[in-house]
Amino acid sequence: MARIFSLILSALLLLSACAAPPSEPQLGADGKPLPKVYKIRSGETAKIQFRMLDSVNSLRQAAGHPNVELNAALNAAAATHSRDMSIQNRPWHFGSDGSSPIDRVRRVGYPGELVGETISETYETELETLAAWMEDPATRQVILAPDAQDMGFAWLQESNGKIWWTLVMGK
């Protein structure tokens, strides 16, 4: 019995040594690893919005600025624009009907003023997208605007995994 057990154990060890090594990540033309699809499951909206809110507020605190709060109206404006960018298949600040970020904020009934809007077309997570926004002076300025009080954040993910992110700041 012990002999059969040792033979089986030896065979398993031999087979495990033959296992293929982990594959190297595929690299893009820029030499960086190609992105992996970040699939957002249904029911994760609140979790993702609050993770972004916490991250934005951490960055704002580090810069000496007050926290912002999630605002339902600004979330709606952000969701509308993410959907519209997907339909237009281009990331830009104007809607297919010619609307501006100011128009969209007014349409959803936000009582304050628009501070700014940041957008992205990517396959990356919300936190990777936030990191990219923080590297760009214009989008960094929106996120860290000292007078911002409210934040809206939404997205639309296409079936191929592409995500259209929109972050709106208001006061």
Side-chain angles (χ1 to χ4, degrees), residues 37-89:
V37 174
Y38 172 56
K39 189 65 180 163
I40 300 171
R41 293 183 297 270
S42 64
E44 290 187 320
T45 300
K47 180 175 121 180
I48 291 171
Q49 285 177 323
F50 281 105
R51 185 167 42 230
M52 180 61 92
L53 177 68
D54 290 344
S55 299
V56 165
N57 280 334
S58 292
L59 293 167
R60 291 177 61 80
Q61 287 171 4
H65 302 309
N67 285 348
V68 292
E69 295 182 7
L70 272 179
N71 179 278
L74 293 181
N75 285 342
T80 299
H81 192 55
S82 291
R83 185 174 37 262
D84 194 46
M85 286 190 296
S86 172
I87 291 167
Q88 295 182 72
N89 196 32

Side-chain angles (χ1 to χ4, degrees), residues 71-150:
N71 179 278
L74 293 181
N75 285 342
T80 299
H81 192 55
S82 291
R83 185 174 37 262
D84 194 46
M85 286 190 296
S86 172
I87 291 167
Q88 295 182 72
N89 196 32
R90 64 178 171 178
W92 74 322
H93 293 282
F94 294 96
S96 56
D97 62 354
S99 62
S100 71
I102 294 170
D103 297 328
R104 289 188 294 277
V105 165
R106 285 185 186 145
R107 282 182 190 164
V108 296
Y110 181 67
E113 296 176 33
L114 175 74
V115 171
E117 177 183 76
T118 62
I119 57 173
S120 181
E121 168 197 13
T122 184
Y123 292 87
E124 297 178 328
T125 70
E126 66 279 2
L127 298 182
E128 290 169 319
T129 302
L130 177 60
W133 284 337
M134 291 302 288
E135 290 177 10
D136 179 87
T139 52
R140 180 183 179 90
Q141 184 177 359
V142 170
I143 293 164
L144 298 180
D147 57 343
Q149 299 169 330
D150 299 309

